[in-house]
Amino acid sequence: MIVQRVVLNSRPGKNGNPVAENFRMEEVSLPDDINEGQVQVRTLYLSVDPYMRCRMNEDTGSDYLVPWQLSQVVDGGGIGIIEDSKHTSLTKGDVVTSFFWPWQTKAVLDGSILEKVDPQLVGGHLSYFLGAIGMPGLTSLIGIQEKGHITAGSNQTMVVSGAAGACGSLGGQIGRLLGCSRVVGICGTHEKCLLLTSELGFDAAINYKKGNVAEQLQESCPAGVDVYFDNVGGDISDTVISQMNQNSHIILCGQISQYNKDVPYPPPLPSAVEAIQKERNITRERFLVLNYKDKFEPGILQLSQWFKEGKLKIKETVINGLENMGGKAELGCPSFFGGGDSRCSPAACCQC
């Protein structure tokens, strides 16, 4: 059987911007038979996430991320359906997901890397398992629970950078659900600001490309900032930290403004901002959701419940066609290497 796949064609360099030419489409043959413990799957959705920029480097700068290899198939979060199985716990028709799903239309995988999921948890919207009811949702929920120190009824103000992205759009809503009295988002367009305030329940939204961010932040957060859900780092985060209250907390979810630069993670703060952090006793601890696997199952159930109750609004971008996966980098789409939430459905292209 001939299938299509995406391989890493070249590396952008640690300080370079990814382009479509870094990826290459090719055809390969799947084996006619599968071995014991294996399954054959048809890909339904693949996830494109900010951390993938690090995997394009020869050295990811992280001990838990493996670099993609040149001329080898790219992998990441994916979901699909089993077409054939020689695994004792998985049968034909099961919907399964994995953090190591190859970017190809069909694949033969070891059943041990797959997790069976219940479509009822997402109301049949299977792509949500790669977003709000998956790793981005868990990252937002567990990050806020573990590092946000939110106490319902204490009139805390939360600020979210990258607020229209996958984790940011969920983080603001979750902060509200867990007890924050005011939630303010920072993003890059008027349309995104409108989305945050009109649909996602944010009290205010700041377009960092228009006007003075520090002044707008002070206006939107007159009582200061108690919880900062940080997705971007850089100048925006420096501005937010400067307006944080005594004994406040930073949830270090991502630093997307720094991902095309050769800097350590998390990047060090400028000396003046670091002095503010220490003086005001602001916590800023590295957070890795993979260290909280015991909280995944209850977390998924909580996210699913909020979704079904209409308390958690979900927004996603779906791009059809496996051939368009790498192209999102060249388009400069913020959802590729800048904090957004993107899905690509090769099955739709194959059916055309």
Side-chain angles (χ1 to χ4, degrees), residues 264-337:
Y265 186 87
L269 297 171
S271 56
V273 179
E274 185 178 15
I276 291 172
Q277 180 206 351
K278 291 180 178 179
E279 179 183 332
R280 299 180 190 172
N281 194 32
I282 302 169
T283 62
R284 182 180 183 257
E285 300 170 349
R286 185 173 181 175
F287 167 71
L288 178 60
V289 71
L290 297 177
N291 290 335
Y292 299 88
K293 291 182 179 179
D294 60 313
K295 299 182 184 295
F296 282 13
E297 185 175 350
I300 290 294
L301 293 176
Q302 177 65 83
L303 293 164
S304 174
Q305 180 181 337
W306 280 335
F307 162 63
K308 290 180 177 180
E309 293 173 348
K311 296 178 180 178
L312 190 67
K313 303 295 193 303
I314 298 174
K315 299 293 179 181
E316 63 179 359
T317 302
V318 179
I319 302 297
N320 291 325
L322 185 67
E323 70 277 5
N324 293 316
M325 290 291 283
K328 294 188 70 60
E330 183 181 43
L331 293 173
C333 176
S335 60
F336 192 78
F337 297 114

Side-chain angles (χ1 to χ4, degrees), residues 66-101:
V66 178
W68 289 332
Q69 299 301 311
L70 291 173
S71 297
Q72 297 298 311
V73 67
V74 173
D75 68 339
I79 191 165
I81 189 166
I82 293 179
E83 294 188 326
D84 191 12
S85 175
K86 287 189 178 180
H87 189 277
T88 54
S89 303
L90 301 170
T91 60
K92 182 177 180 180
D94 285 347
V95 178
V96 290
T97 186
S98 174
F99 196 59
F100 305 101
W101 198 287

Side-chain angles (χ1 to χ4, degrees), residues 216-258:
Q216 294 179 74
L217 189 64
Q218 196 166 23
E219 203 173 285
S220 299
C221 308
V225 180
D226 300 296
V227 183
Y228 175 37
F229 194 86
D230 185 8
N231 288 295
V232 302
D235 293 342
I236 290 176
S237 289
D238 296 343
T239 300
V240 176
I241 294 170
S242 297
Q243 297 190 30
M244 294 187 73
N245 293 325
Q246 191 75 25
N247 300 319
S248 53
H249 306 283
I250 299 170
I251 302 160
L252 201 59
C253 182
Q255 301 282 280
I256 56 177
S257 69
Q258 309 299 305

Side-chain angles (χ1 to χ4, degrees), residues 1-7 24-30 39-46 73-75 78-83 96 101-109 320-325 344-352:
M1 180 189 303
I2 303 297
V3 300
Q4 293 181 310
R5 71 177 187 176
V6 176
V7 302
R24 183 178 76 246
M25 284 282 294
E26 63 181 27
E27 293 185 341
V28 293
S29 297
L30 286 188
V39 298
Q40 179 180 301
V41 295
R42 174 167 56 88
T43 304
L44 298 176
Y45 294 95
L46 298 169
V73 67
V74 173
D75 68 339
I79 191 165
I81 189 166
I82 293 179
E83 294 188 326
V96 290
W101 198 287
W103 285 15
Q104 57 190 64
T105 50
K106 294 188 178 185
V108 173
L109 303 175
N320 291 325
L322 185 67
E323 70 277 5
N324 293 316
M325 290 291 283
C344 192
S345 172
C349 176
C350 293
Q351 292 169 353
C352 294

Side-chain angles (χ1 to χ4, degrees), residues 23 92 112 136 144 162 183 186 189 196 198 222 238 280 289 299 304-305 320 339:
F23 301 92
K92 182 177 180 180
S112 64
I144 292 171
V183 179
I186 303 175
T189 69
L196 296 179
S198 64
D238 296 343
R280 299 180 190 172
V289 71
S304 174
Q305 180 181 337
N320 291 325

